[in-house]
Amino acid sequence: MAKAPERIVIAIDGPAASGKSSTAQWVAKRLGFNHVDSGALYRAITAAAVRRSADADRWDDAFVLAGGKSIGLEPDGHSFAPTIDSKRVDEQIRGPEVTKHVSRVARMKPVREWVNQQVRAAAASFDIVVDGRDMGTAVFPDAQLKIFLVADPWERARRRLLQQLGRSPTDDEIAEETQRLVHRDAGDATQTVQAPDAVLIDTTYLTQEEQVERIVALARAVDHRDEF
Ligand code: DC
């Protein structure tokens, strides 16, 4: 019997607002792979906790984890979007309430195990591009390609605000956002790990298209299947 073709996993990790998810989505589209955003799952389980109790001081591991039962992943083009009670929650998971609590939720060990299970299940039958903080270390240590995306915090803040505001931000706005970002980086530091065999890409002076081209070229270099 012919051996089933090997599944390819491309793991893209890096700090907040380094452009991981949008880059991962674009790379997946270029290669005909699927994209899984692990951060969106941390955000969805946080959103489920917010719905059930606004008093975040009383959330413990078991309470947060129980919300996982209401969460699904719905196919959306080349990607998957999280749902709560079968309804899309795209805007809610990016909102300030979820962003405020998600770092703490992401430090809960059982929550990390739950997210890792969801990501592995989504990856089981597809070639995937997966993005997060520890995809190339804890979740897919055997990924054929690992990328660690970084960029200067000021530039990450500028890009994030440009996207949010739809105009060029002022230096004062960028300075404030830079502070928020470095605090988030500190909150996520223990989870954000560069695999020793990851390719480091500093995107400070790259366009998104250039980042995507580099990763696509790296993917072609590691994929030796005929049909690719
Ligand atoms: O990338 P993001 O901002 O959507 O991630 C949301 C939160 O989840 C952030 O606090 C980091 C955390 N996270 C994590 O700890 N591990 C991952 N693999 C992905 C995200």
Side-chain angles (χ1 to χ4, degrees), residues 11-12 22 32 62 66 68 88 95 111 115 147 168 200 211 215:
I12 304 183
S22 47
R88 292 278 288 261
V111 172
V115 168
I147 305 288
S168 292
L200 178 76
Q211 300 168 37
I215 299 172

Side-chain angles (χ1 to χ4, degrees), residues 16 20 37-40 42-43 94 102-103 106 112 131-135 184 188 191:
K20 300 180 303 288
D37 174 359
S38 60
Y42 285 103
R43 288 175 176 276
R94 307 278 158 208
V102 67
S103 283
R112 298 202 72 76
D131 75 278
R133 302 292 192 289
D134 57 349
M135 295 298 109
R184 276 194 61 200
D188 296 329
Q191 287 88 252

Side-chain angles (χ1 to χ4, degrees), residues 10-28 35-40 43 79 94 129-135 147-151 156 159-160 163 181 184-185 188 192-193 201 203 208 211-212 215:
I10 300 176
I12 304 183
D13 291 307
S18 55
K20 300 180 303 288
S21 293
S22 47
T23 301
Q25 209 163 348
W26 196 348
V27 169
H35 166 233
V36 183
D37 174 359
S38 60
R43 288 175 176 276
S79 202
R94 307 278 158 208
V129 185
V130 59
D131 75 278
R133 302 292 192 289
D134 57 349
M135 295 298 109
I147 305 288
F148 199 77
L149 275 192
V150 295
R156 285 191 277 142
R159 288 177 188 169
R160 167 149 290 188
Q163 193 183 35
L181 265 183
R184 276 194 61 200
D185 285 351
D188 296 329
T192 311
V193 195
I201 301 183
T203 74
Q208 194 169 38
Q211 300 168 37
V212 169
I215 299 172

Side-chain angles (χ1 to χ4, degrees), residues 15-68:
S18 55
K20 300 180 303 288
S21 293
S22 47
T23 301
Q25 209 163 348
W26 196 348
V27 169
K29 199 167 168 194
R30 280 287 308 276
L31 297 173
F33 287 18
N34 278 328
H35 166 233
V36 183
D37 174 359
S38 60
L41 283 162
Y42 285 103
R43 288 175 176 276
I45 201 165
T46 306
V50 169
R51 278 194 190 183
R52 288 159 53 238
S53 158
D55 185 1
D57 290 341
R58 301 179 64 173
W59 299 355
D60 61 14
D61 294 12
F63 175 82
V64 174
L65 195 61

